[in-house]
Amino acid sequence: MTAVGIDAIEIWTGKLTLNLPETFAPVKGEDPAKYTKGLGLETSSFPDVYEDIVTMGANAAKRLMDRRGLTPDDIGRIDVATESAFDNSKPVSTYIAGCLEQTYEGDFRHANKGERKFACVAGTQSIDDAYNWIKAGRNRGRAALVIATDTALYARGDPGEATQGAGAVAMLIDEEPSVVELSTEQGYGSMDETDFLKPNQQFPSVDGKRSMQVYLARMREALEDYESVAGRTKVEDFEYIPFHTPFPGMVRKAGLLGYRHMIRDTEKEDELADRIGRQPREADFDSWDDYEEAIRAYMDDLKETDEYREWYGRVIDPTLSLARRVGNWYTGSVHVARTSALKHAYETGKAMTGKQLLVGSYGSGAQAEIHAETVREGWRDEIEALNVDEQLAGRYDLDFEEYEQVHDAHNHEKDVELEEFTQPANEFVFTGWGRMNERKYEYVE
Ligand code: CAA
């Protein structure tokens, strides 16, 4: 069977940054440790005034195409996943294709274009669509371009304001991929939920605490569903487990839950039993509340064990290094987590070919998806080619007043003229609106 998966990855970050402990926390009157230790964030990325989901997506895609020497004829499909679309009819992929056609010979006239929506899980769903299209033999030898792009802004004063971010991840999905092969097996946890939504509004309505519970509940169901087709998951099976990362503190909770689930009824549970007891079983309790309380106590003890700490530091923590510096990129977030993991492996000289990742995606509203990935031989060259550290180091560091201006400039309800903070070069920029209220773009040298 032909392997299908991610052949190339590129990341494009918004050009501005906000330092959470140093710039945001003092104005909010909060302890900086709430951001660094509690949420697990240092800085977030923001778009400059000439950036938006189209420019960031097109810039990531162009870097990917240039690096791999691709032309539009090589691409049979362009899918954009976003929660930040500004048009209910014309998909963002058409804008991005239009941008790319300004700089390449040829066009994407025969490529199928679309836009995927299911909150943050839509990026993974777009990869699925591409995978299925290739596996069905409909791709005519061409690859799919999947672009996850978002400006994850919250209303000023919303608790989510601390977790904002902006950036794009472009991925080439192809046969015999260089980075990872996707498993056929998948698990889903999906329910009609009202935790985070944008009913025709730019900034989300969020029930923050509820959204965290829903994330964990759906993720657990997805893992159980995945195991029903792929068999039991064990902690030794996976080199890294990248999760959707709205903020690293959320993944800390998901990691602990996952570890507890994976060691249940294994030698590891027996080994730990001398110190923290065995995991509470629902059948042993008269009421759900008593069971929940016992589980909470067990988890509190579990997270303090050396075994758990060692596993977390090796398998989960490396997936969070980019998220700490960029915040939430919604549809791109789990793909940023996978990239962080592989970057960590590259930087520490780890052998990864043939090793497994377990990938946990999540979208509010709500749906989690879990699948496995097998790392392919070309992963090292792909990760080496990323310039994400350079991009992050080059961001303009906003003071609080500038942050407020940038937030206003991107607020669709406000009409704000603001000078750009950075000078664009060799990239697509937003230049204004056309006669039908369409957004216009140009490539600047
Ligand atoms: N030192 C160390 N830790 C501190 C601290 C300090 N001084 N002060 C606070 N903390 C800890 C808190 O204990 C808490 O950690 P625990 O949950 O482990 O106890 C953490 O820092 C955050 O503090 P609060 O809970 O008080 O923070 P908050 O209520 O202001 O906001 C939030 C948290 C509700 C998640 C908010 O950021 C939010 O609404 N975010 C947007 C929604 C979101 O991201 N939900 C995640 C699941 S939904 C999803 O994944 C989809 C998506 O992308 C949006």
Side-chain angles (χ1 to χ4, degrees):
M1 281 257 279
T2 318
V4 175
I6 303 174
D7 189 45
I9 300 177
E10 277 296 344
I11 287 186
W12 190 277
T13 178
K15 296 279 193 70
L16 311 178
T17 184
L18 178 68
N19 188 308
L20 293 163
E22 286 171 23
T23 308
F24 191 72
V27 179
K28 292 278 164 182
E30 300 267 19
D31 181 352
K34 169 176 173 181
Y35 301 94
T36 52
K37 295 208 163 65
L39 296 170
L41 292 163
E42 296 288 341
T43 55
S44 35
S45 285
F46 282 88
D48 205 337
V49 291
Y50 56 83
E51 293 187 292
D52 65 13
I53 50 171
V54 173
T55 64
M56 294 187 299
N59 287 321
K62 180 163 165 51
R63 255 190 73 84
L64 186 152
M65 287 181 65
D66 286 350
R67 188 162 63 69
R68 296 298 291 267
L70 300 173
T71 67
D73 283 347
D74 299 314
I75 307 294
R77 192 176 171 108
I78 307 178
D79 284 311
V80 170
T82 186
E83 297 182 53
S84 321
F86 44 78
D87 193 315
N88 286 325
S89 176
K90 185 174 152 62
V92 171
S93 49
T94 60
Y95 284 95
I96 290 183
C99 284
L100 294 170
E101 283 169 353
Q102 291 179 31
T103 64
Y104 292 105
E105 297 228 344
D107 55 46
F108 296 97
R109 192 174 299 252
H110 302 298
N112 186 7
K113 303 177 191 105
E115 190 174 298
R116 250 298 189 170
K117 178 172 72 182
F118 196 146
C120 309
V121 78
T124 297
Q125 290 182 316
S126 299
I127 293 178
D128 259 11
D129 293 340
Y131 176 96
N132 295 335
W133 170 72
I134 294 171
K135 283 277 183 183
R138 292 176 136 181
N139 59 321
R140 296 187 240 156
R142 297 172 300 170
L145 199 49
V146 166
I147 302 162
T149 179
D150 270 300
T151 47
L153 298 184
Y154 289 75
R156 295 291 318 282
D158 188 290
E161 198 182 358
T163 65
Q164 297 175 117
V169 183
M171 290 165 283
L172 193 72
I173 312 304
D174 205 353
E175 294 173 51
E176 300 305 337
S178 297
V179 186
V180 289
E181 176 186 0
L182 271 62
S183 65
T184 309
E185 295 81 11
Q186 291 177 292
Y188 289 100
S190 189
M191 289 273 282
D192 175 10
E193 296 278 7
T194 309
D195 54 338
F196 171 111
L197 55 159
K198 293 179 168 185
N200 286 327
Q201 63 198 42
Q202 184 188 6
F203 303 130
S205 300
V206 194
D207 182 341
K209 301 291 176 204
R210 171 101 189 109
S211 74
M212 293 165 73
Q213 290 166 353
V214 174
Y215 175 118
L216 295 174
R218 302 292 83 81
M219 199 63 89
R220 185 176 134 164
E221 290 161 3
L223 183 57
E224 286 166 355
D225 192 40
Y226 172 76
E227 289 183 328
S228 75
V229 280
R232 272 295 300 267
T233 52
K234 301 201 205 65
V235 280
E236 316 77 74
D237 292 348
F238 304 103
E239 216 58 25
Y240 296 106
I241 305 186
F243 281 104
H244 168 59
T245 312
F247 53 93
M250 184 72 234
V251 173
R252 216 165 42 221
K253 296 178 199 299
L256 183 61
L257 209 71
Y259 188 83
R260 187 193 90 203
H261 178 90
M262 288 193 217
I263 65 164
R264 207 177 167 103
D265 294 320
T266 66
E267 280 176 16
K268 185 72 80 191
E269 186 189 7
D270 297 341
E271 253 171 69
L272 293 170
D274 287 350
R275 277 169 283 152
I276 61 170
R278 283 173 61 74
Q279 296 190 17
R281 267 50 177 184
E282 198 187 331
D284 299 336
F285 290 83
D286 293 334
S287 79
W288 179 258
D289 287 350
D290 290 349
Y291 170 62
E292 285 238 297
E293 202 183 309
I295 283 279
R296 267 197 297 273
Y298 178 83
M299 302 266 274
D300 283 346
D301 292 341
L302 180 64
K303 73 170 176 239
E304 300 306 330
T305 62
D306 290 345
E307 286 84 346
Y308 173 71
R309 284 167 176 255
E310 186 280 324
W311 175 84
Y312 183 87
R314 181 167 46 81
V315 177
I316 307 286
D317 197 56
T319 70
L320 304 174
S321 58
L322 290 173
R324 280 188 223 293
R325 298 160 76 192
V326 304
N328 192 357
W329 285 10
Y330 288 163
T331 54
S333 153
V334 67
H335 310 293
V336 167
R338 179 199 295 101
T339 309
S340 294
L342 294 176
K343 198 165 163 295
H344 175 265
Y346 172 78
E347 286 161 359
T348 54
K350 236 179 176 183
M352 285 296 290
T353 306
K355 299 278 170 62
Q356 298 271 301
L357 312 178
L358 189 70
V359 180
S361 304
Y362 175 74
S364 297
Q367 180 162 301
E369 189 267 5
I370 287 190
H371 67 267
E373 297 180 355
T374 308
V375 179
R376 303 269 297 179
E377 214 179 333
W379 75 275
R380 189 175 286 280
D381 290 346
E382 276 302 310
I383 298 302
E384 187 175 30
L386 290 173
N387 73 342
V388 60
D389 286 329
E390 209 178 294
Q391 288 186 46
L392 294 179
R395 292 177 299 180
Y396 176 89
D397 188 12
L398 295 164
D399 66 28
F400 196 83
E401 199 183 320
E402 290 167 337
Y403 157 65
E404 290 185 298
Q405 291 166 350
V406 168
H407 200 288
D408 281 352
H410 288 285
N411 184 334
H412 298 168
E413 312 249 289
K414 295 194 174 175
D415 191 9
V416 175
E417 282 291 321
L418 185 63
E419 277 287 305
E420 55 213 30
F421 292 89
T422 58
Q423 191 58 41
N426 304 319
E427 65 193 280
F428 297 104
V429 297
F430 168 66
T431 55
W433 282 267
R435 72 185 172 93
M436 289 174 74
N437 207 23
E438 77 277 20
R439 291 171 80 92
K440 309 277 276 179
Y441 300 93
E442 234 172 57
Y443 189 76
V444 295
E445 302 282 343

